[in-house]
């Protein structure tokens, strides 16, 4: 890791250092408050409206700021940091274009419930509303995609606002909180006293569930003949993976994990059926459709999971465990609503439940489906198959790496063929489906876990949406292993155009993309290329042996499709299985 | 089944709070028939009264989504209980001196009042529930309504409910 990383001091040490009330600027308050919240690193990009803030960073040795090459890189890195660490990710950008460049990243975090505190500068309060240079109403723009937002009008409010922002971002259903700081507020001075209490009358997330509903679920499990668990990102976000394993082992109920739930349950477990939904396994989708009790744990019935809603799990009693009451009944009518933190819920539920004794035939059926319908593809000796590449990465790293992905076919193949066994090892933009997320999020994940192997799997499309961040990998020696699965095409769009738009391939050809090896080298990152299995083994081995960042390009079959596939508008048991 | 609902929302009196609430309705596809905002009994809090239409599932979602806003303190479904709902309308109606006695008759029957008299028109103020105001407008239409302004509904639950 970076030699420039300053020595991390404990928040207690820092608090002691700053206990004596002192008159300081808003900028200084911001930096001290961030450190007191336990922030280890901040990703950002300076500009006019945040000059006071960046001036306060000058020579501030406790404050670790990573200069990205684009604000979008900064916020995706903060997001990757948050997902990998479970802590709040922080990024800083200037007003106007700096702030608007964060919008995609804020929406990405919002859709996937990732805790971020996003700091933007704004023009001085006297200029707000005058269409001043680099002015944008970023609190207004981001209102639909933030959990909450603040426009700071008085420097006296800043310590309270920062403390509230961290509290809101990291509790309940987590999410991004934006703090917009006008330039004059960052320059103004006030007496600073660290804030450590929160008074938010309108914010009381319920973490402890209703006991009656738990009893109801326990009885339903007893009676169920075809019970099924659908577990999502909430399991990982609440740290409930151990409780979930205990729940499954106790009840013997088969389990499918959503895209964001991967890593929340060991993939080698005999009751695990893989991912559900559009590119999920045959077993998961059939099991959901035929179940008589579907227990959703920290998942939100996203349309990519449910397919056609009218006809989803038609015979199932639905139990829904979620921290967000608004998710219950939003998409799917619920019989047993359980509002609470997943970890707390499972801790209370596990002593109440027993083995689902009427489900033996069902478990046999699940086992048969699993054996009969695994993920499959037709391998080749002449061209590299993308699925083979992911399997190779999985085997050589024993499923122990942190894997981030971009969005598209490679993302689905990574979800299908990499076998995750630990939470917070799989980082992907599920809800928003943000291309350009894969690589910068890996930088954040590596900052959170300097000693773990971090692999960023990208397509040739998404890699070009944030490739400028190769610079910060090289400069800070952030040892991410960057994989580019290059099929010279926007593969997922190509797949839909082939299957649904009658082979009318419109604007998907990425021929003429840069030479990725040379691109990496231009930034001072080692670049390798493989077009055969032998080369792939050799290149990957070299990448693993090389300290520091490496980019490995795997040139793969262009026309490969992701299967199984549920065409949009179909129920999830109507699957195209492909040729394999 | 889609029905009309009146909900009261107690919110922090903060800049942008109306935008947060109305924006939520807009992006989630909830309908706003009317919205009124003003001071509440407690300093620092405003009370919004929103009239919306939708089925029970939509109403449930509206309540839950509103509660997700940090500035929302309390959401009360007024129309689930006995309530008093009132709005005020100002109606400028064409009124040559010869037509005035007849119009005054209508106004008195409705216990409305004339709050301004011009050379060729009258301004009528009427307070009541939405049905009453709709009826008043219907009755004044034949005389020629020149301008109409309604406040939207504000409401409260009766008694100690």
């Amino acid at each position: 890791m970076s030699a420039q990383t300053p020595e991390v001091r404990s928040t207690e040490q820092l608090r002691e250092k700053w206990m004596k009330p002192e008159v300081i600027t808003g900028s200084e308050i911001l930096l001290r408050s961030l450190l007191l919240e336990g922030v280890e690193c901040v990703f950002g990009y300076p500009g006019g409206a945040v000059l006071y803030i960046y001036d306060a960073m000058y020579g501030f040795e406790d404050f670790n700021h990573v200069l990205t090459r684009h604000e979008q890189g900064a916020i995706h890195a903060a997001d990757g940091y948050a997902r990998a660490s479970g802590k709040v990710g922080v990024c800083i950008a200037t007003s106007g274009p700096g702030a608007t460049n964060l919008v995609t990243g804020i929406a990405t975090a919002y859709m996937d419930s990732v805790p971020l505190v996003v700091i933007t500068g704004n023009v001085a309060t006297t200029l707000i509303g005058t269409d001043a240079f680099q002015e944008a109403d970023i609190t207004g723009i981001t209102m639909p995609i933030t959990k909450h937002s603040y426009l700071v009008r008085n420097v006296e409010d800043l310590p309270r606002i920062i403390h509230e922002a961290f509290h809101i971002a990291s509790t309940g259903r987590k999410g991004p909180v934006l703090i917009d700081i006008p330039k004059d507020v960052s320059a103004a001075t006030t007496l600073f006293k660290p804030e450590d209490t929160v008074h938010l009358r309108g914010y009381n997330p319920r973490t402890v569930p209703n006991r009656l509903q738990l009893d109801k679920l326990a009885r339903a499990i007893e009676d169920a003949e075809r019970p099924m668990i659908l577990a999502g990102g909430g399991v990982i976000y609440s740290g409930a993976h151990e409780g979930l394993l205990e729940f499954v082992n106790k009840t013997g109920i088969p389990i499918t994990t959503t895209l964001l739930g991967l890593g929340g349950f060991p993939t080698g477990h005999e009751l695990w059926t893989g991912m559900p939904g559009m590119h999920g396994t045959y077993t998961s989708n059939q099991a959901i459709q035929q179940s008589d009790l579907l227990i959703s744990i920290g998942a939100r019935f996203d349309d990519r999971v449910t397919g056609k809603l009218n006809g989803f799990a038609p015979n199932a009693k639905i139990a829904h465990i979620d921290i967000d009451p608004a998710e219950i009944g939003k998409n799917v009518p619920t019989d047993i609503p359980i509002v609470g933190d997943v970890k707390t819920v499972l801790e209370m539920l596990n002593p109440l439940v027993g083995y689902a004794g009427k489900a033996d035939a069902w478990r046999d059926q699940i086992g048969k489906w699993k054996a009969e319908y695994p993920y499959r593809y037709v391998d080749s000796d002449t061209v590299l198959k993308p699925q083979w590449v992911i399997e190779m990465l999985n085997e050589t790293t024993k499923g122990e790496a942190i894997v981030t992905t971009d969005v598209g076919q490679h993302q689905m193949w990574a979800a299908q063929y990499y076998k995750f066994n630990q939470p917070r090892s799989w980082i992907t933009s599920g809800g928003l489906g943000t291309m350009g997320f894969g690589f910068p999020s890996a930088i954040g994940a590596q900052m959170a876990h300097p000693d773990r192997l971090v692999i960023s799997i990208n397509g040739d499309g998404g890699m070009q949406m944030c490739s400028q961040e190769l610079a910060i990998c090289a400069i800070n020696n952030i040892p991410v292993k960057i994989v580019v699965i290059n099929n010279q095409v926007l593969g997922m769009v190509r797949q839909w155009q082939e299957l649904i738009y009658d082979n009318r391939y419109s604007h998907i050809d990425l021929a003429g993309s840069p030479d990725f090896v040379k691109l990496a080298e231009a930034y001072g990152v080692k670049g390798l290329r493989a077009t055969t299995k032998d080369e792939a083994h050799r290149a990957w081995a070299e990448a693993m042996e090389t300290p520091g960042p490496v980019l490995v390009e795997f040139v793969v079959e262009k026309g490969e499709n992701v299967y199984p596939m549920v065409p949009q508008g179909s129920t999830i048991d109507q699957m195209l299985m492909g040729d394999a | 089944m889609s029905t009309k609902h009146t909900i009261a929302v107690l919110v922090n009196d903060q800049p942008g709070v109306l935008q947060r609430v109305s924006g939520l309705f807009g992006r989630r596809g909830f309908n706003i028939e009317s919205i009124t905002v003003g001071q509440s009994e407690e300093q620092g809090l405003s009370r919004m009264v929103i009239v919306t239409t939708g089925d029970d599932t939509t109403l449930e979602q509206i309540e839950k989504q509103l509660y997700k806003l940090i500035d929302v303190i309390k959401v009360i479904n007024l129309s689930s209980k006995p309530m008093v709902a009132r709005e005020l309308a100002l109606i400028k109606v064409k009124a040559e001196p010869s037509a005035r006695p007849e119009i005054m008759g209508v106004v008195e029957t409705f216990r409305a009042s004339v709050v301004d008299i011009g050379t060729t028109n009258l301004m009528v103020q009427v307070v009541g529930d939405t049905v009453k105001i709709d009826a008043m407008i219907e009755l004044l239409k034949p005389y020629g309504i020149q301008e109409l302004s309604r406040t939207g509904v504000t409401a409260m639950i009766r008694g100690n409910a």
Side-chain angles (χ1 to χ4, degrees):
Chain A
M1 273 302 301
S2 167
Q4 299 163 22
T5 309
E7 184 195 343
V8 179
R9 303 192 188 189
S10 72
T11 52
E12 287 73 30
Q13 283 171 309
L14 293 168
R15 192 174 290 277
E16 205 169 303
K17 188 170 156 189
W18 296 323
M19 262 315 281
K20 205 173 86 197
E22 195 182 343
V23 175
I24 54 175
T25 65
S27 301
E28 189 85 10
I29 289 173
L30 172 68
L31 303 191
R32 288 190 190 184
S33 298
L34 291 178
L35 290 175
L36 289 171
E37 296 294 339
V39 172
E40 295 170 324
C41 63
V42 168
F43 303 88
Y45 205 98
V50 288
L51 275 167
Y52 286 107
I53 296 172
Y54 276 81
D55 185 62
M57 281 181 213
Y58 188 80
F60 195 139
E61 58 172 33
D62 290 313
F63 199 83
N64 184 16
H65 175 274
V66 179
L67 172 66
T68 57
R69 292 298 179 271
H70 192 299
E71 288 88 354
Q72 191 173 352
I75 189 157
H76 290 330
D79 184 316
Y81 171 87
R83 293 190 207 219
S85 67
K87 297 177 192 164
V88 177
V90 182
C91 67
I92 302 183
T94 191
S95 65
T100 54
N101 276 343
L102 298 176
V103 169
T104 302
I106 296 173
T108 305
Y110 185 69
M111 287 289 262
D112 289 348
S113 309
V114 176
L116 295 185
V117 168
V118 179
I119 315 283
T120 51
N122 208 332
V123 299
T125 49
T126 48
L127 287 171
I128 285 180
T130 66
D131 302 316
F133 177 66
Q134 292 194 329
E135 181 186 359
D137 172 19
I138 196 64
T139 48
I141 290 168
T142 58
M143 223 165 246
I145 51 168
T146 47
K147 187 171 173 187
H148 194 52
S149 57
Y150 295 91
L151 170 57
V152 186
R153 289 162 200 276
N154 300 297
V155 69
E156 294 77 24
D157 297 333
L158 199 51
R160 171 184 62 80
I161 285 174
I162 295 166
H163 193 55
E164 282 179 7
F166 274 83
H167 177 70
I168 292 169
S170 61
T171 54
R173 180 176 181 175
K174 300 170 173 71
V177 177
L178 181 125
I179 306 175
D180 195 24
I181 307 176
K183 192 169 184 179
D184 53 337
V185 174
S186 69
T189 55
T190 190
L191 193 68
F192 174 64
K193 208 163 93 279
E195 185 74 54
D196 53 10
T197 54
V198 172
H199 304 284
L200 287 165
R201 202 168 147 192
Y203 181 70
N204 304 292
R206 192 162 122 203
T207 55
V208 180
N210 181 325
R211 176 64 197 255
L212 291 175
Q213 298 295 341
L214 298 183
D215 290 335
K216 220 164 135 186
L217 177 54
R219 279 198 302 278
I221 290 170
E222 229 168 273
D223 294 340
E225 291 175 10
R226 299 183 307 281
M228 188 69 195
I229 296 166
L230 169 69
V235 170
I236 291 160
Y237 296 156
S238 77
H241 52 283
E242 284 168 3
L244 180 63
L245 182 60
E246 187 189 337
F247 180 66
V248 172
N249 284 339
K250 252 188 124 171
T251 58
I253 301 177
I255 172 169
T256 171
T257 45
T258 68
L259 182 70
L260 288 186
L262 293 174
F265 193 81
T267 52
H269 197 289
E270 63 169 347
L271 289 169
W272 185 69
T273 64
M275 188 169 71
M278 184 172 274
H279 296 295
T281 59
Y282 180 89
T283 310
S284 299
N285 286 359
Q286 292 298 333
I288 287 172
Q289 287 303 86
Q290 296 187 25
S291 65
D292 63 354
L293 173 65
L294 182 62
I295 307 166
S296 170
I297 306 181
R300 63 178 175 91
F301 296 110
D302 175 87
D303 59 282
R304 286 300 195 258
V305 165
T306 62
K308 187 180 164 198
L309 265 180
N310 182 11
F312 173 76
N315 305 311
K317 186 182 263 191
I318 307 275
H320 190 170
I321 302 169
D322 206 300
I323 186 84
D324 180 358
E327 286 303 338
I328 290 170
K330 187 183 81 178
N331 294 342
V332 173
T334 304
D335 301 286
I336 307 174
I338 299 175
V339 177
D341 172 64
V342 170
K343 188 177 179 188
T344 311
V345 170
L346 288 174
E347 277 167 5
M348 290 172 68
L349 185 61
N350 280 336
L352 307 177
V353 296
Y355 189 71
K358 296 181 182 171
D360 285 336
W362 174 243
R363 278 181 280 264
D364 288 346
Q365 174 65 68
I366 299 273
K368 279 180 200 151
W369 280 332
K370 265 184 82 170
E372 201 171 334
Y373 300 100
Y375 291 126
R376 318 188 151 102
Y377 65 96
V378 181
D379 202 3
S380 162
D381 289 326
T382 51
V383 285
L384 274 181
K385 287 297 183 94
Q387 300 95 326
W388 180 90
V389 175
I390 307 289
E391 284 188 315
M392 189 271 290
L393 298 178
N394 179 53
E395 280 159 23
T396 54
T397 60
K398 301 184 184 69
E400 284 170 1
I402 294 177
V403 175
T404 79
T405 76
D406 215 74
V407 170
Q409 287 184 316
H410 72 276
Q411 177 190 31
M412 291 299 113
W413 285 318
Q416 292 177 338
Y417 290 95
Y418 201 92
K419 300 299 172 203
F420 297 95
N421 292 306
Q422 289 179 60
R424 301 196 179 281
S425 298
W426 165 247
I427 293 169
T428 197
S429 167
L432 198 68
T434 304
M435 284 177 72
F437 174 83
F439 172 43
S441 63
I443 294 169
Q446 188 79 79
M447 296 290 288
H449 294 284
D451 301 325
R452 280 187 69 182
L453 171 64
V454 177
I455 306 174
S456 172
I457 303 177
N458 303 272
D460 45 324
M463 188 64 213
Q464 294 182 69
M465 285 202 182
C466 265
S467 60
Q468 74 284 344
E469 307 305 340
L470 283 162
I472 67 172
C473 274
I475 291 164
N476 299 302
N477 193 30
I478 296 170
V480 174
K481 307 303 175 198
I482 307 151
V483 169
V484 180
I485 307 278
N486 186 355
N487 58 358
Q488 303 106 60
V489 73
L490 288 171
M492 190 58 95
V493 182
R494 197 209 65 80
Q495 175 168 343
W496 283 56
Q497 289 178 349
E498 177 194 326
L499 299 175
I500 299 159
Y501 293 85
D502 202 18
N503 298 310
R504 290 159 58 85
Y505 296 118
S506 181
H507 296 277
I508 51 154
D509 191 355
L510 292 182
S513 293
D515 178 326
F516 287 101
V517 172
K518 283 188 184 160
L519 180 70
E521 284 167 353
Y523 282 101
V525 170
K526 183 174 204 165
L528 300 164
R529 178 180 295 116
T531 56
T532 65
K533 285 184 181 176
D534 277 351
E535 286 174 11
H537 279 298
R538 274 203 300 274
W540 185 243
E542 188 178 344
M544 296 294 285
E545 283 157 17
T546 308
V550 183
L551 182 149
V552 189
E553 177 190 10
F554 296 95
V555 180
V556 300
E557 163 74 40
K558 186 174 182 174
E560 195 69 20
N561 285 338
V562 180
Y563 289 114
M565 176 177 179
V566 177
Q568 200 162 26
S570 303
T571 52
I572 52 170
D573 48 1
Q574 295 175 319
M575 307 180 81
L576 309 175
M577 297 303 288
D579 302 328
Chain B
M1 201 190 65
S2 194
T3 48
K4 195 180 275 198
H5 304 279
T6 307
I7 50 178
V9 190
L10 207 60
V11 297
N12 283 326
D13 180 13
Q14 287 280 332
V17 69
L18 179 60
Q19 191 187 353
R20 287 184 203 277
V21 171
S22 60
L24 170 67
F25 273 72
R27 77 174 174 277
R28 297 262 176 204
F30 305 144
N31 162 279
I32 298 181
E33 209 154 282
S34 74
I35 184 166
T36 63
V37 197
Q39 266 182 3
S40 74
E41 67 280 5
E42 191 179 328
Q43 196 165 7
L45 298 187
S46 302
R47 187 179 305 272
M48 292 185 182
V49 175
I50 302 170
V51 178
T52 179
T53 47
D55 57 19
D56 289 348
T57 315
T58 309
L59 180 69
E60 189 185 320
Q61 266 297 304
I62 289 174
E63 288 186 37
K64 286 172 163 179
Q65 293 292 346
L66 279 169
Y67 269 121
K68 286 178 74 169
L69 299 177
I70 310 291
D71 281 330
V72 168
I73 308 293
K74 198 165 171 52
V75 183
I76 307 148
N77 178 10
L78 299 172
S79 36
S80 68
K81 305 205 174 80
M83 65 161 181
V84 176
R86 291 290 179 267
E87 64 175 311
L88 182 148
L90 293 175
I91 308 164
K92 196 180 277 178
V93 60
K94 198 162 156 250
E96 295 297 338
S98 58
R100 287 182 191 178
E102 207 177 307
I103 295 172
M104 297 296 279
V106 175
V107 168
E108 275 163 34
T109 315
F110 271 77
R111 281 191 252 167
S113 50
V114 171
V115 290
D116 186 57
I117 302 179
T119 50
T120 60
N121 58 29
L122 294 174
M123 193 195 296
V124 177
Q125 169 190 296
V126 56
V127 176
D129 60 19
T130 301
V131 176
K132 175 177 167 180
I133 290 174
D134 289 346
M136 181 87 196
I137 291 166
E138 278 309 307
L139 283 173
L140 291 178
K141 255 186 197 165
Y143 302 99
I145 292 175
Q146 294 173 329
E147 215 177 315
L148 170 67
S149 182
R150 296 172 74 151
T151 56
V153 173
T154 192
M156 246 179 220
I157 293 172
R158 288 177 187 274
N160 301 323

